[in-house]
Amino acid sequence: MDRAQKEKVVEELGQIFESSGVVVVAHYAGLTVAEMQDLRARAREVGGSVRVAKNRLTKIALQGKPCESMADMLTGMTVLTYSEDPVAAAKVAEDYAKTNQKFEILGGTMGENVLDRAGVETVSKMPSRDELIASIVGCIGAPAANIAGAIGAPASNIASILSTIEEKAEAA
């Protein structure tokens, strides 16, 4: 890799750290190509990505960033799992780590906050952006459904009363 390619990689990595809601760092020694493709596919499903880069270049990309202190995690064979959604990549990494012993989460970063292993696990348990939106929409929609039910209820009650009166009149 020549100097221009290295500079491009450093720039891309810097962009990842600036634009991602969460970045998870993990060791991946021993993963097969198929297992790595599975991880990439899982990340892609939630709008995330997986990136393998030289630790030295990643450390250069971290210089001057608020999460620069995570450079200590970059030892050995590391892989970055990241997403714009502040929870999605952490969920993917946690789920994958549960099914594959070779994938060991070291920590990560969420904005300016550097996360340890427990921090990544905690973030992974939070609701994702889509789940939060669905919850908010449900809360907004519930009162409207209650109002519609309340408005419709008197009409059904009147219909029921008229039906009862009609049945009594026919019986008499």
Side-chain angles (χ1 to χ4, degrees), residues 15 25 55 91 95 111 127 136 169 172:
Q15 189 62 33
V25 180
N55 291 334
K91 283 184 187 267
D95 290 344
I136 291 169

Side-chain angles (χ1 to χ4, degrees), residues 134-154:
S135 175
I136 291 169
V137 168
C139 289
I140 292 171
N146 291 343
I147 291 171
I151 292 171

Side-chain angles (χ1 to χ4, degrees), residues 23-42:
V23 178
V24 178
V25 180
H27 279 154
Y28 71 99
L31 283 183
T32 65
V33 172
E35 290 170 329
M36 187 61 87
Q37 286 175 337
D38 180 40
L39 175 61
R40 290 179 195 277
R42 291 182 188 196

Side-chain angles (χ1 to χ4, degrees), residues 70-133:
M70 78 174 277
D72 298 339
M73 294 179 211
L74 300 170
T75 59
M77 295 178 64
T78 56
V79 62
L80 305 175
T81 307
Y82 58 95
S83 64
E84 282 186 36
D85 184 330
V87 179
K91 283 184 187 267
V92 168
E94 277 294 328
D95 290 344
Y96 195 74
K98 288 177 186 173
T99 62
N100 195 321
Q101 298 295 323
K102 300 173 207 165
F103 187 79
E104 179 189 347
I105 297 174
L106 303 174
T109 179
M110 185 177 192
E112 297 179 3
N113 302 316
V114 176
L115 307 170
D116 60 0
R117 172 70 180 94
V120 172
E121 185 177 356
T122 302
V123 169
S124 74
K125 293 177 181 176
M126 295 169 56
S128 70
R129 181 183 301 158
D130 292 340
E131 292 169 342
L132 285 174
I133 290 171

